[in-house]
Amino acid sequence: MIVEEKLLAYPVPEIRTEVRWQDVALYNLSIGLGQDPLDRRQLPFTYEPEIRAMPSMAVVLGYPGFWVKAPETGVDWVKVVHGEQSLILHKPLPASGTLVGTTRVTGIVDRGAGKGALIYSERVVRDEATGEKLATIEQTTFARGDGGFGGQPGPVKAPHPEPAGAPEVTLDLPTRPEQAAYYRLNGDHNPLHIDPDVAAKAGFKAPILHGLCTFGVVCHALMRELCDYDPAKFGRMDLRFSSPVYPGETIRTEIWREAGGASFRARVVERDVVVVSNGLFRFA
């Protein structure tokens, strides 16, 4: 069971990540870039002469791993799912170097017995050599099995409002059946995404795609449609995960342009299920 004071003070390890161009290429491939070998706009994200990091790669840099699995957190890790994700990119990510991620728990919300708990955390990624801040990543973890521990019922982070009317732009990006196995190589080793038995215990028919892989696919869509694949134009991206994606499904990103950026959501084409909602994008 969660003990609020203990979890708020939990010492999430500070992590140093040595980044090589091969790591950048692996991440980009793991979120689906390179599936069209003739698309020259994607080539710099997979080809080493001018390799570029996708903004969403920040979520795997300085990543402390699936730390809620540690027994001392008190979290029922089998029932944990990703709730919300926010990324602020302070400057384009380097394609090589040593980066440091510092993570802390910033809040816990008890939704009540049988309703789960929300765990808010923040990670700041810096360049070790210069100390320069590169990205700030905020995450909401939905601990489905941990409500009713006697914690505070709020405050709950307010989501970005859903847009009205038909989207101005839609883009379909396919995922591959083995994509979760590739994405795990970025350091997210939650067995929910590869072990059918663990997935079944969590209530899923099969291993599901990492929420952060879905995040990367949607980031790709925003980079393509709004930024012309230029990481320097990317400022911020927030979203809420509404439903899981199964590897092999097609993710359709729907975009409404607005001053300073856009609102967006995403759905799985094959099941017509919204998988990402309340999306906010802002230019740098």
Side-chain angles (χ1 to χ4, degrees), residues 213-279:
C213 187
T214 298
F215 184 88
V217 174
V218 175
C219 178
H220 178 192
L222 299 173
M223 282 283 288
R224 175 171 168 168
E225 297 300 327
L226 299 175
C227 300
D228 194 27
Y229 283 106
D230 182 357
K233 295 180 180 179
F234 185 102
R236 179 176 187 141
M237 175 182 173
D238 297 8
L239 56 74
R240 172 174 286 187
F241 296 105
S242 303
S243 187
V245 175
Y246 290 99
E249 295 182 322
T250 304
I251 298 175
R252 172 175 293 162
T253 302
E254 303 171 338
I255 301 170
W256 290 258
R257 290 188 177 93
E258 56 191 38
S263 294
F264 65 89
R265 68 171 171 241
R267 67 179 67 242
V268 162
V269 173
E270 290 81 359
R271 292 182 285 126
D272 193 27
V273 172
V274 173
V275 295
V276 163
S277 62
N278 306 96

Side-chain angles (χ1 to χ4, degrees), residues 91-241:
K91 66 175 296 183
L93 300 171
S96 63
T98 303
L99 308 182
V100 180
T102 305
T103 302
R104 64 189 182 98
V105 178
T106 58
I108 306 168
V109 173
D110 187 350
R111 301 181 66 192
K115 297 180 180 179
L118 303 176
I119 304 170
Y120 296 117
S121 61
E122 176 194 80
R123 174 165 22 113
V124 175
V125 178
R126 299 180 184 272
D127 185 310
E128 184 178 56
T130 65
E132 189 172 21
K133 185 189 293 187
L134 301 174
T136 300
I137 300 119
E138 296 179 349
Q139 177 173 321
T140 303
T141 300
F142 182 26
R144 296 182 297 159
D146 291 290
F149 59 88
Q152 296 297 314
V156 176
K157 179 182 175 183
H160 179 64
E162 283 278 273
E168 297 178 43
V169 180
T170 62
L171 177 64
D172 290 356
L173 293 174
T175 66
R176 297 179 59 85
E178 72 278 21
Q179 194 155 331
Y182 293 146
Y183 191 84
R184 293 183 81 248
L185 301 179
N186 295 304
D188 189 337
H189 300 146
N190 185 344
L192 175 65
H193 306 294
I194 197 166
D195 189 328
D197 294 334
V198 172
K201 288 179 182 178
F204 299 109
K205 67 179 183 180
I208 61 175
L209 196 64
H210 300 70
L212 288 179
C213 187
T214 298
F215 184 88
V217 174
V218 175
C219 178
H220 178 192
L222 299 173
M223 282 283 288
R224 175 171 168 168
E225 297 300 327
L226 299 175
C227 300
D228 194 27
Y229 283 106
D230 182 357
K233 295 180 180 179
F234 185 102
R236 179 176 187 141
M237 175 182 173
D238 297 8
L239 56 74
R240 172 174 286 187
F241 296 105

Side-chain angles (χ1 to χ4, degrees), residues 3-11 71-73:
V3 176
E4 186 170 9
E5 295 80 9
K6 186 176 179 180
L7 188 54
L8 282 170
Y10 183 77
E72 55 267 31
T73 68

Side-chain angles (χ1 to χ4, degrees), residues 12-126:
V12 183
E14 183 175 85
I15 301 296
R16 284 168 172 76
T17 303
E18 299 286 344
V19 179
R20 309 166 301 154
W21 76 261
Q22 293 95 330
D23 303 308
V24 174
L26 171 64
Y27 174 81
N28 292 338
L29 290 167
S30 76
I31 62 169
L33 281 96
Q35 291 192 36
D36 181 356
L38 297 181
D39 187 343
R40 295 185 181 275
R41 296 176 300 169
Q42 295 186 41
L43 196 59
F45 295 92
T46 59
Y47 186 35
E48 66 273 20
E50 51 175 331
I51 194 77
R52 300 178 193 168
M54 287 289 286
S56 56
M57 187 179 179
V59 302
V60 304
L61 300 175
Y63 175 62
F66 191 44
W67 60 268
V68 296
K69 191 178 179 182
E72 55 267 31
T73 68
V75 176
D76 184 357
W77 66 269
V78 173
K79 295 182 180 179
V80 161
V81 294
H82 207 137
E84 298 168 317
Q85 186 71 38
S86 171
L87 165 63
I88 301 172
L89 194 68
H90 302 293
K91 66 175 296 183
L93 300 171
S96 63
T98 303
L99 308 182
V100 180
T102 305
T103 302
R104 64 189 182 98
V105 178
T106 58
I108 306 168
V109 173
D110 187 350
R111 301 181 66 192
K115 297 180 180 179
L118 303 176
I119 304 170
Y120 296 117
S121 61
E122 176 194 80
R123 174 165 22 113
V124 175
V125 178
R126 299 180 184 272

